[in-house]
Amino acid sequence: AQSVSQHNHHVILSEAASLELGCNYSYGGTVNLFWYVQYPGQHLQLLLKYFSGDPLVKGIKGFEAEFIKSKFSFNLRKPSVQWSDTAEYFCAVNGGSQGNLIFGKGTKLSVKP
Amino acid sequence: DTGVSQDPRHKITKRGQNVTFRCDPISEHNRLYWYRQTLGQGPEFLTYFQNEAQLEKSRLLSDRFSAERPKGSFSTLEIQRTEQGDSAMYLCASRSGSAGSPYEQYFGPGTRLTVT
């Protein structure tokens, strides 16, 4: 069965620190990968996605992620976080025929001003 | 594009009661998904509609759960004889069936259910 693992449950950083959130998936076929973000009190929003092509994808608000097929990983990065990045981040994979997403448990990011 | 909307946003009910939630997808989206999210977990897939046809149901969707999407527009999710374990956030998402962004799902704000 497909699964997604997010390594960090809660990450606390100071503003301007660099961020890397880990995500590993298990699926043998062609995958589409996503990072969603949920700001406090708001609904899930798409941060970035990978379908094919360049394994380094750029998303909104300065986030990027790198797909490494050999490691089954899709880690999220940002060189310098801001207080407004405080949110919960979810990695997801879609490999099924009906398009449903398989989510990780999420990583809560707290950025100290 | 007004986004995906869900109603109600919060529902408190007593164990054993029936509840129904509504989801209005983005108007041109023919694919609609229901997910459930509990504390400390990511969303888990419940069921999927393409137009009015319910094409897939997760094993999480017990017999007490039923979903409909009449006329391929809005969808409803009903839970009969609610149990405390049903307490969760119920999320709806929709996406286009066109080839442009085939797997990008747009989520609604969710309905938070509390069963007392």
Side-chain angles (χ1 to χ4, degrees):
Chain A
Q2 300 165 53
S3 65
V4 175
S5 297
Q6 291 184 241
H7 313 303
N8 310 100
H9 177 62
H10 191 186
V11 172
I12 302 172
L13 296 173
S14 297
E15 275 195 315
S18 64
L19 170 72
E20 181 161 2
L21 301 182
C23 172
N24 286 88
Y25 65 92
S26 66
Y27 183 68
T30 301
V31 292
N32 301 295
L33 295 156
F34 307 83
W35 276 96
Y36 279 85
V37 60
Q38 189 166 29
Y39 297 102
Q42 296 188 25
H43 59 276
L44 280 165
Q45 301 172 40
L46 183 68
L47 201 55
L48 49 78
K49 61 193 177 190
Y50 172 80
F51 290 161
S52 63
D54 189 344
L56 184 63
V57 293
K58 296 190 183 300
I60 60 172
K61 303 186 180 185
F63 286 90
E64 64 179 31
E66 185 176 13
F67 169 54
I68 303 179
K69 188 175 181 180
S70 62
K71 294 185 178 180
F72 296 90
S73 70
F74 190 56
N75 292 354
L76 181 71
R77 299 195 292 250
K78 185 171 184 178
S80 176
V81 295
Q82 300 173 318
W83 176 79
S84 58
D85 294 324
T86 294
E88 191 156 18
Y89 293 80
F90 293 92
C91 182
V93 62
N94 158 246
S97 61
Q98 304 296 359
N100 57 287
L101 297 174
I102 309 296
F103 284 86
K105 291 186 176 183
T107 297
K108 185 176 178 181
L109 172 65
S110 299
V111 180
K112 297 184 292 185
Chain B
D1 178 358
T2 58
V4 179
S5 61
Q6 293 187 245
D7 184 69
R9 296 289 303 275
H10 303 274
K11 179 71 177 178
I12 300 174
T13 191
K14 293 186 177 180
R15 185 166 52 95
Q17 298 294 305
N18 299 344
V19 294
T20 300
F21 312 140
R22 177 179 171 126
C23 169
D24 286 89
I26 293 171
S27 58
E28 64 268 25
H29 287 182
N30 65 340
R31 303 187 186 208
L32 186 147
Y33 302 81
W34 284 97
Y35 294 83
R36 183 176 70 184
Q37 185 177 16
T38 53
L39 198 62
Q41 302 293 322
E44 296 173 290
F45 169 69
L46 291 178
T47 190
Y48 160 69
F49 288 85
Q50 184 169 325
N51 298 310
E52 66 275 9
Q54 187 175 20
L55 297 184
E56 188 167 351
K57 293 192 284 188
S58 160
R59 60 177 173 75
L60 293 176
L61 211 68
S62 75
D63 291 345
R64 295 183 298 105
F65 288 68
S66 63
E68 294 182 340
R69 193 183 180 197
K71 302 179 184 178
S73 56
F74 71 93
S75 176
T76 58
L77 178 68
E78 181 183 14
I79 309 175
Q80 296 183 325
R81 305 181 303 281
T82 52
E83 301 173 356
Q84 288 187 322
D86 297 330
S87 295
M89 177 76 86
Y90 290 85
L91 298 169
C92 176
S94 70
R95 74 168 171 96
S96 168
S98 69
S101 291
Y103 297 114
E104 184 170 337
Q105 295 184 22
Y106 295 83
F107 282 81
T111 295
R112 182 169 296 284
L113 173 66
T114 303
V115 182
T116 62

